[in-house]
Amino acid sequence: MNNPVLAFDETVRSRSSVRAFLPTPLSDEQIRAVLQDAQYSPSNCNTQPWHVHVVSGETKARLAKMMTVNDLEGRQTPDFTFSYEDFHGDYIERAYEQARLYYEAIGIDRDDKVRRKEAYLRNYQFFNAPHAAFLFMPSFGDNIRVASDIGMYAQSFLLSLTARGFAGIPQTMLGFHADMIRNELGVSDEYRLLFGISFGYADTSAAAANTRMPRVPVENSVVMHG
Ligand SMILES: Cc1cc2nc3c(=O)[nH]c(=O)nc-3n(C[C@H](O)[C@H](O)[C@H](O)COP(=O)(O)O)c2cc1C
């Protein structure tokens, strides 16, 4: 059975990135309901360029292990770059603030490099989530517009999870080992891996499931004309 669906304002305001999950799996029917919702996302010219691979059980466990080993041995093969050094101004300040608030919430001192590394590596364990969706896309031009379509899809997916009483987290880090993931899942080289979403039931007893990130006022983001 699907869980009851929340009202939109409650859904959008209560969604947050959860970094602690219960092992309890969703049923195939529950996963399918979320996938069905996400399928209604808008896309440039209705191209619907999302190619999604959902992993659970043994496959998920194998990928978790391989991503961790790859990372510890210094092997990463992301299809798209990611670096804090690319952020600047207000954006890097917000990124630092996010990290500060998260580590504070889970009780890790900012100078404790060992525990910070452990927390970073938990990304590859899908934060214990029973399922993860890898979001692949075809390559069109400079890839900006197709990537924005994948973002649309991801937000529908995340809001659907929330509305149905589940939880998720989008993770750029799940795209850091794209070659290995493609190989393991039998995905053709023509698809790029943008990011992944771990999902399941939030472990609400854990601080990592209860952090809430601040938002700047609307006026900082929007200019009204006319
Ligand atoms: C595309 C995308 C990729 C992200 N990648 C990661 C990630 O790899 N690891 C992580 O812990 N959080 C990741 N996040 C979560 C963000 O840190 C989070 O969305 C942000 O701090 C706002 O918090 P909220 O989602 O709880 O509102 C990602 C978010 C997005 C949208």
Side-chain angles (χ1 to χ4, degrees), residues 15-19 82 94 98-99 102 119-120 123 127 151 154 158 168-176 194-196 211-215:
R15 183 216 57 80
S16 69
S17 292
V18 161
R19 296 180 180 84
F82 174 81
R94 290 173 197 162
Q98 187 268 334
Y102 176 56
Y120 161 90
N123 274 275
F127 299 107
L158 293 165
I169 175 168
Q171 289 170 261
T172 292
M173 275 186 68
L174 295 184
F176 282 179
L194 191 58
F195 59 93
T211 52
R212 292 290 178 273
M213 290 301 147
R215 295 299 195 265

Side-chain angles (χ1 to χ4, degrees), residues 3 21-31 55-57 60 128-131 166 199-201:
N3 292 21
F21 292 87
L22 298 173
T24 319
L26 273 61
S27 67
D28 289 350
E29 192 187 14
Q30 288 168 324
I31 295 176
V55 299
S56 313
K60 184 187 69 87
N128 285 343
H131 314 285
F166 312 128
F199 64 98
Y201 288 94

Side-chain angles (χ1 to χ4, degrees), residues 145-226:
R145 299 193 191 285
V146 63
S148 77
D149 293 340
I150 306 303
M152 297 274 171
Y153 179 91
Q155 174 70 335
S156 302
F157 192 108
L158 293 165
L159 292 178
S160 174
L161 288 170
T162 306
R164 293 173 183 280
F166 312 128
I169 175 168
Q171 289 170 261
T172 292
M173 275 186 68
L174 295 184
F176 282 179
H177 306 278
D179 285 350
M180 180 276 284
I181 300 286
R182 255 190 301 271
N183 195 36
E184 288 296 313
L185 300 181
V187 176
S188 150
D189 280 352
E190 75 190 89
Y191 297 110
R192 310 279 181 97
L193 177 54
L194 191 58
F195 59 93
I197 298 176
S198 295
F199 64 98
Y201 288 94
D203 176 359
T204 51
S205 70
N210 292 305
T211 52
R212 292 290 178 273
M213 290 301 147
R215 295 299 195 265
V216 298
V218 168
E219 291 69 28
N220 288 32
S221 307
V222 180
V223 179
M224 307 282 265
H225 299 269

Side-chain angles (χ1 to χ4, degrees), residues 5-75:
V5 173
L6 300 179
F8 180 73
D9 57 348
E10 199 181 343
T11 303
V12 79
R13 284 172 177 73
S14 63
R15 183 216 57 80
S16 69
S17 292
V18 161
R19 296 180 180 84
F21 292 87
L22 298 173
T24 319
L26 273 61
S27 67
D28 289 350
E29 192 187 14
Q30 288 168 324
I31 295 176
R32 199 166 171 81
V34 172
L35 294 169
Q36 197 68 54
D37 285 345
Q39 207 64 11
Y40 284 88
S41 305
S43 57
N44 278 277
C45 306
N46 200 28
T47 45
Q48 305 169 66
W50 36 83
H51 293 260
V52 181
H53 286 247
V54 177
V55 299
S56 313
E58 285 294 308
T59 307
K60 184 187 69 87
R62 190 172 72 250
L63 298 184
K65 199 168 175 184
M66 291 175 82
M67 287 191 290
T68 307
V69 170
N70 271 356
D71 199 288
L72 290 173
E73 293 181 354
R75 283 193 307 274

